[in-house]
Amino acid sequence: MRAALAGILVAALAVEAGAQTRGIQSGTRPARYVIRNALVIAGNGTPTSGPFDIVIEGNTIADMVPLDPVALKAGTARRPVAPVEIDATGKYVIPGLINAHGHVQDARGGVPQPLEYELKLWLASGVTTVRDVGSNTRKTLELRTASAAGTVAAPRILVYASFAAGGDAVDSRGIRTPDEARARVRQLKALGVDGIKLVGIDRDLMQAMLDEARKVGLPVAHHAGVEETNAWDDINFGTRSIEHWYGVPDAAIRDGVQGFPADYNYDDEVDRFRYAGRLWREADPERLNKVLQAMVDSGVAWVPTMVIYEASRDLLRAQNQPWFKDYLHPTLEEYFRPNPANHGSYFIGWSSTDEAFWKENYRIWMAALREFSRRGGLIGAGEDAGFIYQMYGFGLIRELELFQEAGFHPLKALQHVALNNARILGMEEKIGRVRVGHLADLLVVNGNPLEDLKVLYPTGTEAIVNGKAVHTGGIEWTIKDGIPYHGPTLLREVKELVAAARARR
Ligand SMILES: [Zn+2]
């Protein structure tokens, strides 16, 4: 009913206002402009409201003027004026998407890949902020600076430097003592990073590094492995977020170790991913609830990146995503091929049995995510693209669909990628919702994402309009820091870039 009413309202306003997009140039920030007649999904879990005229001044949302249909009709409505405007009639404005688990990549498997490819795909998919969790630290710090200055078309970047691997001229593989762990934290702080990404580490080193990180004010994102530590250590030592999911069911296994077969080898990725698919079933439900509650109580957030394991439960789906045809860079295509040399490219002899176990694994995992959320836990959204058949940007939108599959309302899925992620990043005062005074990180979407999250895919989707199948959807404008980027233009540039790279092959 509400949706139908809004539809009529929007149609009426379109005739009244006769607004048109004018004066906007992709990639250039006007001093002041108006997004006209937009329905707004704020990003904090509240329902759609509007329409509004949204005024942007510099990089800030300066005003949101609600449009009164009666006053509009009478010609007495107060409407902000600006020489530059975007007509959002029939469109939705939502917060720019925050990718809480991304990797800045300018090469795959040792082969260079233009950074522009990833950055443009992110923007075309509505990603306005990326928490980079482990890449070449110095290069990514430079990208952060360039993005903040607006000299490169890119999302804003937060650098969570890898604790245990370089790119910053620090060889940390030698960290063997708590003192060395503390020194490494201070070294990263001096480099000016925003946080630390922690992977696989023994308990004494983890305790020391988290203590030091707290002292110097660096949040820590932990990609737990199957190792000495698990979620209890994150709870006890104060991790900001658990990445992926290992460590959570591990903490709830009754006898403390998963029932691995005798010939299991953790360094064999087929073994590792195969038996990871049989892990959630071993978690004791009662213990699991205790772990989840303790995470809530100690403020450990969870960024599950469900999307990056999807090939494990449905390999054919993962290998045949429609956007591969025009947008999969040959470097990435090559990297995705099953090859033991590349991390995550483990699909050799992947069986129906493996997929069946993984489907069950997801069911238990998704139920745990909902339980965590119901208890007050903070869930974030990340994509981890560049691995396992996931493309930049597309992966994050797929993650939202997986939240819906897990049972979350699409409003909650959008909250995960907006306000919740902003909280995890410690930036909720500036980004993560459509609100006056916040930074202008906004998307103008062709369609209602609450009706169909697929409208967020930059390639759009098919829908029935007036009994006819039409191609619709996509993000018309990605506005980052007040700079509007035209989604379809970015996507066309990516397509040309990929075509050229393929022709050279
Ligand atoms: Zn990752």
Side-chain angles (χ1 to χ4, degrees):
M1 180 62 197
R2 198 192 153 85
L5 193 67
I8 293 163
L9 202 65
V10 164
L13 287 174
V15 176
E16 271 305 312
Q20 277 177 2
T21 297
R22 58 186 165 85
I24 286 273
Q25 227 186 323
S26 183
T28 304
R29 179 164 63 204
R32 174 187 156 91
Y33 59 112
V34 181
I35 304 171
R36 293 227 182 267
N37 205 14
L39 290 170
V40 171
I41 302 170
N44 58 349
T46 57
T48 305
S49 62
F52 292 92
D53 280 349
I54 302 168
V55 183
I56 297 170
E57 285 176 6
N59 67 349
T60 305
I61 302 171
D63 201 2
M64 291 174 66
V65 180
L67 300 181
D68 169 10
V70 177
L72 274 176
K73 212 165 179 207
T76 56
R78 177 176 78 90
R79 303 203 68 172
V81 287
V84 179
E85 57 185 45
I86 291 173
D87 179 15
T89 302
K91 301 182 202 290
Y92 281 69
V93 166
I94 68 173
L97 308 185
I98 300 170
N99 179 3
H101 191 116
H103 295 278
V104 172
Q105 296 173 338
D106 61 3
R108 303 308 295 127
V111 181
Q113 178 176 284
L115 187 56
E116 177 193 358
Y117 169 70
E118 177 177 41
L119 300 178
K120 284 185 172 167
L121 272 181
W122 269 337
L123 286 175
S125 307
V127 177
T128 51
T129 299
V130 173
R131 182 175 67 157
D132 172 78
V133 281
S135 62
N136 182 306
T137 306
R138 281 197 196 281
K139 276 196 207 172
T140 310
L141 283 168
E142 282 167 22
L143 177 64
R144 181 182 75 180
T145 304
S147 173
T151 54
V152 60
R156 70 180 74 250
I157 304 284
L158 278 89
V159 182
Y160 276 46
S162 177
F163 182 68
D168 50 15
V170 178
D171 180 9
S172 58
R173 282 165 296 181
I175 295 174
R176 293 197 184 87
T177 68
D179 281 347
E180 285 168 2
R182 288 178 189 278
R184 170 68 174 160
V185 170
R186 289 193 297 271
Q187 222 164 16
L188 289 173
K189 178 71 180 177
L191 276 177
V193 303
D194 301 289
I196 300 176
K197 159 80 173 297
L198 182 62
V199 183
I201 190 170
D202 286 342
R203 183 170 290 115
D204 56 336
L205 302 182
M206 179 176 172
Q207 181 168 15
M209 76 78 61
L210 270 157
D211 181 60
E212 195 67 25
R214 187 181 48 76
K215 282 182 189 156
V216 302
L218 286 178
V220 174
H222 185 202
H223 169 157
V226 179
E227 56 204 65
E228 192 172 290
T229 60
N230 61 42
W232 285 117
D233 300 291
D234 296 296
I235 291 159
N236 292 333
F237 303 149
T239 299
R240 169 68 58 86
S241 61
I242 290 178
E243 305 299 300
H244 315 304
W245 57 278
Y246 308 118
V248 180
D250 305 71
I253 290 177
R254 199 182 288 275
D255 293 315
V257 65
Q258 192 184 341
F260 297 119
D263 60 353
Y264 175 95
N265 182 337
Y266 187 63
D267 282 330
D268 176 335
E269 285 205 337
V270 180
D271 263 6
R272 195 193 308 171
F273 282 89
R274 173 164 292 149
Y275 289 96
R278 302 169 195 202
L279 176 51
W280 274 106
R281 58 179 13 234
E282 293 200 30
D284 176 67
E286 231 174 88
R287 284 176 177 235
L288 181 59
N289 281 342
K290 282 189 186 142
V291 174
L292 297 176
Q293 187 61 47
M295 283 170 66
V296 173
D297 294 342
S298 59
V300 179
W302 190 356
V303 181
T305 67
M306 286 180 280
V307 62
I308 203 61
Y309 303 92
E310 217 186 357
S312 297
R313 71 167 188 175
D314 191 350
L315 186 56
L316 280 178
R317 182 192 203 285
Q319 289 176 328
N320 293 283
Q321 297 174 71
W323 31 85
F324 286 179
K325 180 173 161 283
D326 288 331
Y327 305 103
L328 181 61
H329 196 281
T331 309
L332 211 46
E333 184 180 4
E334 185 56 38
Y335 188 78
F336 287 161
R337 278 187 224 289
N339 176 354
N342 296 339
H343 171 55
S345 304
Y346 51 87
F347 293 98
I348 298 163
W350 200 251
S351 68
S352 315
T353 304
D354 291 320
E355 291 191 350
F357 271 113
W358 264 98
K359 282 173 184 164
E360 181 202 47
N361 214 39
Y362 266 85
R363 286 196 292 274
I364 307 169
W365 178 14
M366 286 173 165
L369 283 165
R370 282 189 81 194
E371 184 61 28
F372 178 64
S373 175
R374 283 172 176 163
R375 288 169 182 260
L378 188 62
I379 293 178
E383 66 175 9
D384 208 9
F387 300 97
I388 323 183
Y389 301 106
Q390 289 307 326
M391 276 174 57
Y392 318 109
F394 289 89
L396 189 62
I397 293 159
R398 179 62 188 154
E399 182 74 0
L400 302 185
E401 290 190 280
L402 289 168
F403 280 127
Q404 188 173 21
E405 180 184 328
F408 292 99
H409 192 289
L411 281 169
K412 294 298 284 184
L414 289 175
Q415 186 188 326
H416 293 167
V417 79
L419 182 61
N420 287 13
N421 274 355
R423 283 200 173 129
I424 291 170
L425 269 53
M427 294 186 73
E428 69 269 36
E429 307 296 325
K430 287 184 180 162
I431 59 172
R433 46 174 135 184
V434 184
R435 184 184 193 173
V436 174
H438 273 223
L439 292 175
D441 282 12
L442 303 170
L443 311 181
V444 180
V445 181
N446 291 317
N448 180 359
L450 303 179
E451 192 180 316
D452 184 2
L453 288 165
K454 290 187 199 300
V455 301
L456 295 173
Y457 284 117
T459 44
T461 187
E462 310 299 322
I464 304 286
V465 178
N466 299 329
K468 273 189 192 159
V470 293
H471 191 80
T472 180
I475 293 163
E476 192 69 23
W477 293 96
T478 295
I479 300 167
K480 172 239 159 185
D481 216 25
I483 307 168
Y485 295 96
H486 190 237
T489 301
L490 290 169
L491 201 60
R492 183 169 39 75
E493 288 167 1
V494 170
K495 188 173 173 176
E496 288 164 5
L497 193 152
V498 168
R502 284 177 182 169
R504 277 196 302 272
R505 195 157 46 155

